[in-house]
Amino acid sequence: RGFKLLNESADSGHVNSKLYLGYCYLYGLGTPQDTQRARDLFQNYFDSFNHKADQRLIIVDNRVIDLDYLIGLTYYYENSPECIPLFEASLKSNTFVRLQRSDLLRKLASCYQDGKFGTEVNHTKAEKLLTDSQKYGPYEITSTTILL
């Protein structure tokens, strides 16, 4: 029911509904997981704010929206190496909410720890990323975290 209402809201032009609908598709909340649809919704949401072409970070309603992080998540859940440069680009931003920063660092650490997505195994880098993530929180964002 929640997914249906978000979909109706997004269809009627409520911009923020597109962001939340993107999360539904990303994590399969109320609908089958569809990372391409999530990616499209995240991009569409970001584009609706008339940002500069090279701007990848916006602040809306006191929330930091980092397009590289959002699009990186869609590739991460596709097990695609395209997530790595996007996540690395997101590390340059220091305006993340704590939970997102922790999530980003943990996901990147797992890539270097296990050599995921074509990265070289680099335990030193993985350990540093994990240590850094602890400054921001102990969690990775999952579908359960989104619901909290």
Side-chain angles (χ1 to χ4, degrees):
R1 174 141 168 76
F3 174 80
K4 182 179 181 242
L5 292 172
L6 275 174
N7 209 9
E8 289 172 5
S9 180
D11 286 346
S12 69
H14 189 266
V15 175
N16 287 340
S17 295
K18 294 175 185 177
L19 176 66
Y20 300 120
L21 196 56
Y23 281 119
C24 288
Y25 280 108
L26 180 65
Y27 294 108
L29 301 171
T31 187
Q33 185 181 37
D34 184 340
T35 53
Q36 180 60 55
R37 181 75 175 121
R39 192 165 32 253
D40 292 344
L41 282 161
F42 291 149
Q43 185 68 56
N44 186 278
Y45 171 77
F46 200 84
D47 289 346
S48 67
F49 291 96
N50 298 318
H51 60 88
K52 296 177 186 174
D54 62 341
Q55 185 179 359
R56 307 287 292 175
L57 184 76
I58 57 175
I59 298 176
V60 180
D61 298 330
N62 294 322
R63 288 178 298 151
V64 176
I65 309 296
D66 183 328
L67 186 60
D68 289 326
Y69 171 71
L70 291 176
I71 301 297
L73 285 174
T74 66
Y75 287 118
Y76 181 86
Y77 289 113
E78 290 175 356
N79 297 317
S80 170
E82 292 184 57
C83 71
I84 302 298
L86 292 165
F87 283 169
E88 292 281 359
S90 289
L91 282 179
K92 295 173 185 167
S93 169
N94 290 322
T95 56
F96 263 104
V97 293
R98 296 176 70 79
L99 184 60
Q100 288 179 343
R101 185 77 172 184
S102 176
D103 180 64
L104 171 63
L105 291 164
R106 287 175 183 278
K107 283 182 169 59
L108 258 179
S110 74
C111 293
Y112 289 108
Q113 181 70 37
D114 302 328
K116 288 182 185 176
F117 315 134
T119 60
E120 295 285 326
V121 171
N122 185 333
H123 295 290
T124 304
K125 186 168 187 168
E127 187 59 38
K128 180 176 180 349
L129 290 166
L130 280 174
T131 300
D132 289 349
S133 76
Q134 293 170 357
K135 298 174 195 172
Y136 300 100
Y139 305 107
E140 252 189 283
I141 296 177
T142 64
S143 61
T144 305
T145 314
I146 292 293
L147 294 172
L148 295 177

